[in-house]
Amino acid sequence: MSDIIVYNSLTGHKEKFEPLYEGKVGMYVCGPTLYSEPHMGNMRTFINFDLIYRYLLFSGYQVKYVRNITDAGHITNSLGESEDSIGKAARLEQVQSLEIVYKYNVKFQELQRMYNMLPPSIEPTATAHIQEQIEIIENIIENGYAYVVNGSVYFDVRKYCEKFEYGILSGRKIDELAEETRTLNAQDEKQFFADFALWKKANPEDMQIWRSPWGDGNPGWHIECTAMSTKYLGNQFDIHGGGMDLKFPHHEDEIAQSCGSFGCNPARYWLHANMLNVNGQKMSKSFGNYFLPKEIVDGTTEIFSKPFTPNVIRFCMMQAHYRSTLDLSEESLSAAEKGLSRLMDAIKLSDNLKTTNSSSFDVNELIRSFYDAMNDDFNAPILIAQLFEAARKIFLINDGTETITSTDLEKLKVAISGFLQDVLGIPLHMESDHVKLAPVMDLVLDLRQQARLNKDWTTSDRIRDGLAAAGITIKDGKEGTTWG
Ligand SMILES: [Zn+2]
């Protein structure tokens, strides 16, 4: 097992990764809040942690990867007000909260499969861990770091600062925070502006309510992650990850809750994935560059002139380091498409290369560079550059400019496919299967169309159901029938 260096947001430095238990890794990543369809920016965060998870597995670690599903709880909105986003969506659609959660969870799971993400080891939900959340809040109160007001419980930041440092992760100082936060008014239950809710007394419009020692209510935003991460990974574990936007207040408050309850920071390494831009700007409905992850694949967004496959999108995302912003544009996607097809061509070519009794370049060094890239804070763009270098060598061997032994060729092939499939998560055969299947599907869809014209619904349904059983879904639209 070679040394992995990670950038720890907690210290602001790159550090040697040393898990608490040799050969084992406990990793917690903040999952989606299911009140709307996950957008491309969310997907980038999850794809980046999928890369990290995959590389830890590839390096031989036994990884327990916990990623929660937020299906309850009040989230602080941009005005600093507490808001029940799931309840709000449920009221808007006139359904129950869990219908909203279930609907968007189905979509989220579909997207995970579409973008070839490995499922986490456990995907716990907040609503199934209310008791655990209550127990931690009780602990924090007992330790003197929280107070109860009128059926709600707040974390006491001033008391906490007597022993711990609030702002340790985000670097935000209490004095600076005071300047950017509105002052407390007479109705506020909080004793200090930086205090945050652990438990909120039920409002009349709340759709989900639980019993607690402080009366009926629901948990604050941050406590669920403390409850679920420590329940499954222990009071202290190795990696805590999430999007950069969660650093403050969410992760800062998670640290405060863990210190307040268990006396320690929950994670030794805090990893944060950067945001996604589209055409040079933050993705937003008001900038007109907003689209859903599915729309870019089925070509229904007008932002791009043509659809791109999930493999190409994923490959494009991997060409930016997880801590850098990524700009998704027609240009970057087309370049990724070309690059990926060149890699695939090289892989195909490598099956029929002539071997000789000596190699004209150091294959081991080339393979070493794949590991070096990923060992340096999961640097996928450097890995991809080295994979392109390997492809260049394969084309040169084919031209007769370079030579390779059969042993070296075998090693190189195993390394390329391992890094591409298992680490970057780009399946080698998916693209070509799609291409091979296309003429067959044209024929099948033609037959179905004929059956429909003849009003032979039994046959047309049989074709549709048979395809569905084979994992192929078809969709009828204005432009004809599409499949995938
Ligand atoms: Zn979280």
Side-chain angles (χ1 to χ4, degrees):
M1 223 177 271
S2 47
D3 285 346
I4 298 177
I5 305 290
V6 295
Y7 179 85
N8 190 354
S9 300
L10 192 62
T11 57
H13 296 294
K14 277 188 180 176
E15 293 171 15
K16 187 175 157 193
F17 177 65
E18 286 173 308
L20 282 165
Y21 303 99
E22 211 191 321
K24 291 185 178 174
V25 178
M27 174 163 96
Y28 184 87
V29 172
C30 293
T33 302
L34 296 168
Y35 65 93
S36 61
E37 280 211 37
H39 61 68
M40 210 64 205
N42 301 139
M43 295 316 284
R44 186 188 177 207
T45 300
F46 300 132
I47 289 173
N48 271 324
F49 282 102
D50 182 60
L51 169 80
I52 291 169
Y53 176 43
R54 281 171 176 276
Y55 189 61
L56 291 169
L57 292 174
F58 190 78
S59 302
Y61 286 106
Q62 192 187 330
V63 189
K64 194 196 264 190
Y65 173 21
V66 182
R67 190 185 59 207
N68 71 307
I69 283 175
T70 298
D71 57 352
H74 280 231
I75 309 255
T76 317
N77 67 18
S78 54
L79 299 170
E81 295 157 346
S82 171
E83 187 178 83
D84 173 16
S85 327
I86 296 165
K88 207 171 144 187
R91 275 192 296 279
L92 215 70
E93 295 192 25
Q94 296 186 323
V95 293
Q96 287 184 314
S97 294
L98 282 188
E99 286 180 64
I100 290 289
V101 168
Y102 187 71
K103 173 175 153 182
Y104 293 119
N105 194 18
V106 168
K107 287 190 194 286
F108 178 65
Q109 301 298 337
E110 264 173 30
L111 287 172
Q112 291 221 86
R113 283 190 293 276
M114 184 187 266
Y115 285 94
N116 199 29
M117 285 186 241
L118 296 177
S121 323
I122 318 176
E123 231 175 351
T125 61
T127 51
H129 295 80
I130 300 291
Q131 194 49 43
E132 287 84 347
Q133 299 183 57
I134 290 173
E135 279 165 21
I136 294 176
I137 298 171
E138 283 180 317
N139 248 348
I140 300 174
I141 297 174
E142 230 175 85
N143 293 341
Y145 297 113
Y147 53 90
V148 184
V149 185
N150 186 29
S152 293
V153 185
Y154 294 95
F155 193 89
D156 189 341
V157 172
R158 278 181 303 190
K159 178 79 185 156
Y160 178 76
C161 286
E162 288 173 13
K163 189 168 172 199
F164 301 98
E165 188 189 341
Y166 187 77
I168 192 170
L169 175 70
S170 60
R172 304 252 193 140
K173 298 276 171 279
I174 294 280
D175 309 347
E176 293 164 21
L177 284 170
E179 281 170 30
E180 56 191 72
T181 318
R182 66 187 172 85
T183 44
L184 293 179
N185 58 38
Q187 288 90 50
D188 265 311
E189 293 171 341
K190 291 198 280 187
Q191 293 171 0
F192 184 56
F193 75 92
D195 294 352
F196 55 91
L198 297 171
W199 187 264
K200 284 291 274 182
K201 184 187 175 173
N203 286 321
E205 72 270 19
D206 279 343
M207 297 184 80
Q208 299 192 89
I209 293 171
W210 288 272
R211 290 228 166 108
S212 82
W214 318 286
D216 290 353
N218 37 58
W221 173 20
H222 318 295
I223 196 72
E224 63 168 281
C225 284
T226 302
M228 289 184 268
S229 59
T230 56
K231 172 164 181 173
Y232 296 107
L233 298 171
N235 291 354
Q236 203 175 37
F237 49 92
D238 300 301
I239 297 176
H240 193 310
M244 229 163 225
D245 53 337
L246 293 181
K247 220 177 193 181
F248 187 86
H250 185 56
H251 291 164
E252 197 69 68
D253 291 350
E254 269 189 57
I255 293 177
Q257 289 166 166
S258 266
C259 289
S261 176
F262 311 117
C264 62
N265 186 318
R268 308 207 319 160
Y269 304 92
W270 285 80
L271 270 56
H272 290 97
N274 212 324
M275 305 287 113
L276 171 86
N277 283 346
V278 175
N279 291 330
Q281 271 180 316
K282 190 179 172 224
M283 190 162 78
S284 151
K285 280 183 181 152
S286 56
F287 294 145
N289 63 354
Y290 185 91
F291 60 88
L292 293 172
K294 218 164 81 63
E295 293 174 327
I296 183 172
V297 175
D298 60 25
T300 48
T301 168
E302 280 169 15
I303 298 166
F304 303 111
S305 67
K306 64 182 193 90
F308 291 95
T309 65
N311 283 351
V312 166
I313 301 162
R314 194 173 160 122
F315 191 66
C316 184
M317 287 189 172
M318 296 289 136
Q319 281 177 292
H321 186 246
Y322 78 90
R323 282 192 290 118
S324 312
T325 49
L326 161 74
D327 190 34
L328 218 53
S329 65
E330 179 106 14
E331 219 181 359
S332 62
L333 286 161
S334 300
E337 191 172 46
K338 256 192 223 146
L340 186 57
S341 110
R342 189 174 156 78
L343 269 184
M344 294 296 179
D345 287 347
I347 290 167
K348 256 180 252 156
L349 199 61
S350 66
D351 285 335
N352 303 305
L353 285 182
K354 265 203 202 111
T355 52
T356 51
N357 48 20
S358 74
S359 296
S360 58
F361 61 99
D362 192 337
V363 171
N364 289 332
E365 197 184 299
L366 184 58
I367 295 172
R368 188 69 246 158
S369 74
F370 301 169
Y371 285 93
D372 288 347
M374 288 305 290
N375 286 339
D376 183 11
D377 196 24
F378 313 102
N379 202 323
I382 304 272
L383 165 65
I384 291 174
Q386 291 310 114
L387 288 173
F388 282 140
E389 175 58 17
R392 199 178 69 89
K393 292 285 189 202
I394 289 170
F395 288 118
L396 290 175
I397 297 165
N398 190 48
D399 290 349
T401 320
E402 300 267 13
T403 59
I404 195 162
T405 66
S406 59
T407 325
D408 277 352
L409 178 61
E410 206 40 51
K411 263 196 254 174
L412 188 61
K413 279 166 64 178
V414 168
I416 294 175
S417 66
F419 274 89
L420 199 61
Q421 288 200 109
D422 302 337
V423 177
L424 294 175
I426 311 284
L428 287 184
H429 303 294
M430 237 162 92
E431 303 278 337
S432 59
D433 284 353
H434 205 273
V435 171
K436 265 190 231 154
L437 215 53
V440 180
M441 282 303 295
D442 284 347
L443 175 69
V444 172
L445 292 178
D446 213 37
L447 290 171
R448 178 170 168 269
Q449 184 56 18
Q450 200 53 53
R452 279 157 66 102
L453 288 174
N454 296 338
K455 296 196 171 17
D456 177 3
W457 309 118
T458 319
T459 304
S460 86
D461 287 352
R462 208 180 136 201
I463 292 175
R464 190 199 54 215
D465 297 344
L467 288 172
I472 298 170
T473 47
I474 55 176
K475 213 170 76 187
D476 296 311
K478 271 183 257 160
E479 312 282 307
T481 305
T482 52
W483 60 276

